[in-house]
Amino acid sequence: MTRMPIFSSDRERRLWFWSLASVAAIGLSLGLGSTLAGELLDSGLVGAAFWLGLFLVGAAVVVQGLRRRPGGAEIGVALGVAGAYLLAFLRMTIPSERSHLIEYSVLALFIHEALVERAENGRRVPAPALLALAMTVLLGWLDEGVQALLPDRVYDLRDVGFNALAGLMAITAKLALSWARRRFGRAS
């Protein structure tokens, strides 16, 4: 009897690797994050670091979009998504809240893409979007649980909410963009 490989494709393997790398980066930021945030705050670079991160995420989205030649409806949805993220960023005044939105959006997208890739290659994946959101929320909750054990960190249920919101926004945005692409004639 032949054993089925763990991953359905090389792409799925890479997506799970990047999901794990995202979790590791979030975990490593538990100790380093407060030190780095303090340094950025002391030097007055918090705003610049935030806008640099936002620019890099936007640039990645634009490069991805140009590679796929989006249609008008897709561009409209993308602008709506960008507007929603910008409003969320501007309303969040605490840098750690903003970082949660970025970190968990990226994590949710990697997980969702890995699950979609797995499903497209014939593996059973019930409701990839809901499963990706659940996994993101659980990982965010675990992150907060670990913080409860650290002397200089605190468990904050609001952060669990920010993590969940980030995952929900990212997956919803991806689904909306995919819908616009399918609905208005562009192949994914």
Side-chain angles (χ1 to χ4, degrees):
M1 183 162 108
T2 60
R3 289 183 41 155
M4 188 178 297
I6 294 173
F7 304 109
S8 66
S9 69
D10 284 339
R11 182 172 186 269
E12 182 194 356
R13 182 184 47 76
R14 285 191 308 272
L15 287 164
W16 285 119
F17 169 81
W18 287 111
S19 298
L20 183 60
S22 296
V23 170
I26 291 168
L28 289 173
S29 74
L30 291 176
L32 183 61
S34 57
T35 304
L36 181 58
E39 290 295 320
L40 289 172
L41 191 58
D42 291 344
S43 66
L45 294 175
V46 169
F50 163 72
W51 288 108
L52 176 63
L54 190 59
F55 171 77
L56 291 174
V57 169
V61 169
V62 168
V63 167
Q64 181 71 10
L66 289 176
R67 193 180 85 191
R68 293 185 177 178
R69 295 192 188 119
E74 195 175 351
I75 290 170
V77 170
L79 290 173
V81 167
Y85 266 90
L86 186 58
L87 285 174
F89 279 126
L90 294 175
R91 289 181 181 219
M92 294 176 168
T93 56
I94 301 170
S96 64
E97 293 173 349
R98 291 176 173 173
S99 71
H100 283 269
L101 198 56
I102 294 169
E103 292 165 348
Y104 285 91
S105 287
V106 169
L107 177 61
L109 289 175
F110 279 134
I111 292 171
H112 184 250
E113 277 297 306
L115 292 171
V116 168
E117 176 71 13
R118 188 171 188 78
E120 287 176 352
N121 286 309
R123 303 286 179 91
R124 186 171 170 344
V125 180
L130 291 177
L131 185 55
L133 180 60
M135 291 172 73
T136 302
V137 170
L138 286 174
L139 288 167
W141 210 334
L142 178 64
D143 176 38
E144 287 303 310
V146 169
Q147 288 183 48
L149 303 173
L150 298 176
D152 60 337
R153 303 299 293 257
V154 295
Y155 176 88
D156 189 351
L157 198 53
R158 286 183 325 144
D159 284 349
V160 173
F162 285 128
N163 301 341
L165 175 65
L168 180 64
M169 285 178 68
I171 292 167
T172 301
K174 184 192 180 287
L175 292 174
L177 287 166
S178 295
W179 170 83
R181 179 166 282 154
R182 281 190 317 273
R183 173 76 169 89
F184 298 100
R186 300 281 181 170
S188 305

